[in-house]
Amino acid sequence: MSTSKRALVTGITGQDGGHLAELLLAEGYEVFGLVRGQNNPRKAAVEAEFPAVTLIEGDLTDPASLVRAVERSDPDEVYNLAAVSHVGFSFTNPTLTADVTGKGVLNLLEALRITGRAQRTRFYQASTSEMFGGLDYNRPGAGYAEDSLFHPRSPYGVAKLYGHWIAKNYRESYGMFVSCGILFHHEGERRGKEFVTRKITDAVARIHLGQQTHIELGDLWPKRDWGYAGDYVRGMWQMLQHDTPDDFVLATGETHSIEEFLTLAFNEVGIDDWRPLVTQNPAFLRPAEVDILLGDPSKAETVLGWTRDVDFPGLVSRMIAHDITLNTPTA
């Protein structure tokens, strides 16, 4: 009988899911991934990149499918990364966001509990800096920590806050090993093009290659605490290897505006003045925006020994290089 650990990953078709599958396989895990929908367009890509991963069909809004997925995978660790995760999308689809991103966490925790795995399966909940939102966000020199006040400014943030608190409740009520990672913005070459960072790097690469003339964006002034997704996924794994379950903020401790991201991205292709190439589209403006998100990763650094390998300029550089390669026609 194999002694390797078994992990079930929801959201395996997303950015973090890809990084996590890579890490877990390298650590010798047997990896199972939950895939939503009978014609999921990302399923084939995951199968091609990770043939060793066993994919299981299921849906966070369908409790019975989660019970089947848990029974089939029999996991030592569960990483719940699945969510309706685009903030802008959550404003136009708030009910779906609540059902998947919020109640879906409850459904998955219940699947573990009712199948008798509450005391032996470790659970990671992907919480988010969007839970902090707009309250007390201008504290000079201070970032949000694990005990900071929450005030989400989007249906996505609200749904994530429910998921965060129900996960903590199951830890306290049933003694489950549940750790919540409150992750600030983390990007990379696996990021979907609907997110502003990847939208920028893809467009800059295409402008550089003569395939596009400009970029349409919303507000350029918001500041975010941006890190590299691969570093953050390693932090998720470290949380479940720790002796006790807890909540941890993962962040860089510094912020940069979208304008700064644009400047670095265009500099990578030799363009100094990017403003004539960027236009504002009112359709991309949100009903409520968060001015600045800054995290304090001190606890994760001290308790887990978590470190980051990629800084902000390095993040932008690797994303631009990837998208230039991706968009360059092959002979």
Side-chain angles (χ1 to χ4, degrees):
M1 178 180 288
S2 172
T3 58
S4 63
K5 287 185 179 180
R6 298 161 68 93
L8 174 63
V9 181
T10 73
I12 199 165
T13 60
Q15 170 189 245
D16 291 359
H19 282 290
L20 184 58
E22 190 173 53
L23 182 152
L24 293 175
L25 290 171
E27 292 290 337
Y29 282 66
E30 186 173 357
V31 181
F32 299 81
L34 192 74
V35 179
R36 177 177 178 269
Q38 66 183 96
N39 293 307
N40 191 309
R42 288 284 301 152
K43 181 179 180 181
V46 174
E47 289 174 327
E49 185 173 5
F50 302 112
V53 172
T54 301
L55 297 182
I56 303 173
E57 288 192 2
D59 193 313
L60 288 185
T61 65
D62 183 354
S65 74
L66 297 180
V67 169
R68 289 192 295 269
V70 166
E71 290 180 334
R72 181 178 174 188
S73 59
D74 190 23
D76 298 290
E77 298 172 3
V78 172
Y79 295 84
N80 184 38
L81 311 184
V84 175
S85 58
H86 191 272
V87 174
F89 182 87
S90 77
F91 279 103
T92 54
N93 296 270
T95 302
L96 177 63
T97 300
D99 288 343
V100 177
T101 307
K103 190 179 176 183
V105 183
L106 171 62
N107 292 338
L108 187 52
L109 287 165
E110 273 292 277
L112 289 173
R113 194 177 68 84
I114 66 178
T115 58
R117 291 171 172 83
Q119 304 308 314
R120 65 181 182 86
T121 299
R122 298 190 171 195
F123 185 91
Y124 171 81
Q125 170 56 21
S127 297
T128 173
S129 60
E130 293 289 338
M131 299 186 310
F132 295 121
L135 181 65
D136 191 28
Y137 55 73
N138 277 324
R139 289 175 292 163
Y144 287 114
E146 292 78 8
D147 58 355
S148 298
L149 296 175
F150 295 120
H151 186 174
R153 297 267 290 166
S154 66
Y156 167 70
V158 173
K160 274 290 189 181
L161 187 54
Y162 174 84
H164 178 75
W165 277 110
I166 198 66
K168 287 167 67 73
N169 180 261
Y170 270 56
R171 180 172 71 206
E172 296 166 358
S173 299
Y174 301 112
M176 295 176 67
F177 193 111
V178 174
S179 288
C180 299
I182 307 174
L183 273 57
F184 280 68
H185 288 67
H186 47 289
E187 314 297 323
E189 60 275 16
R190 296 179 186 272
R191 180 57 106 179
K193 295 178 183 178
E194 69 272 24
F195 291 88
V196 67
T197 52
R198 184 72 193 290
K199 180 179 181 178
I200 289 172
T201 60
D202 177 67
V204 170
R206 290 174 58 81
I207 289 171
H208 173 67
L209 296 170
Q211 300 168 354
Q212 187 169 324
T213 60
H214 68 286
I215 316 173
E216 291 186 353
L217 298 172
D219 287 320
L220 304 183
W221 48 262
K223 292 184 175 182
R224 296 292 182 265
D225 187 325
W226 274 309
Y228 179 56
D231 292 337
Y232 286 55
V233 162
R234 187 175 65 253
M236 299 177 187
W237 178 74
Q238 287 178 272
M239 291 179 207
L240 293 199
Q241 312 318 304
H242 190 52
D243 293 337
T244 55
D246 206 346
D247 304 330
F248 295 93
V249 165
L250 298 187
T252 70
E254 60 183 53
T255 61
H256 300 277
S257 68
I258 296 173
E259 288 186 335
E260 290 177 78
F261 196 102
L262 282 163
T263 297
L264 286 180
F266 276 105
N267 283 346
E268 286 289 319
V269 297
I271 297 175
D272 294 326
D273 184 11
W274 49 262
R275 294 191 180 277
L277 303 173
V278 177
T279 59
Q280 187 178 70
N281 186 338
F284 298 139
L285 301 179
R286 294 170 181 169
E289 184 57 272
V290 177
D291 292 353
I292 182 171
L293 284 173
L294 172 64
D296 177 2
S298 299
K299 180 179 176 180
E301 292 171 342
T302 302
V303 177
L304 301 177
W306 180 64
T307 59
R308 298 173 300 282
D309 295 331
V310 182
D311 61 10
F312 181 63
L315 167 67
V316 178
S317 180
R318 73 188 298 153
M319 290 179 69
I320 287 290
H322 172 270
D323 283 336
I324 288 175
T325 300
L326 188 67
N327 286 293
T328 298
T330 56

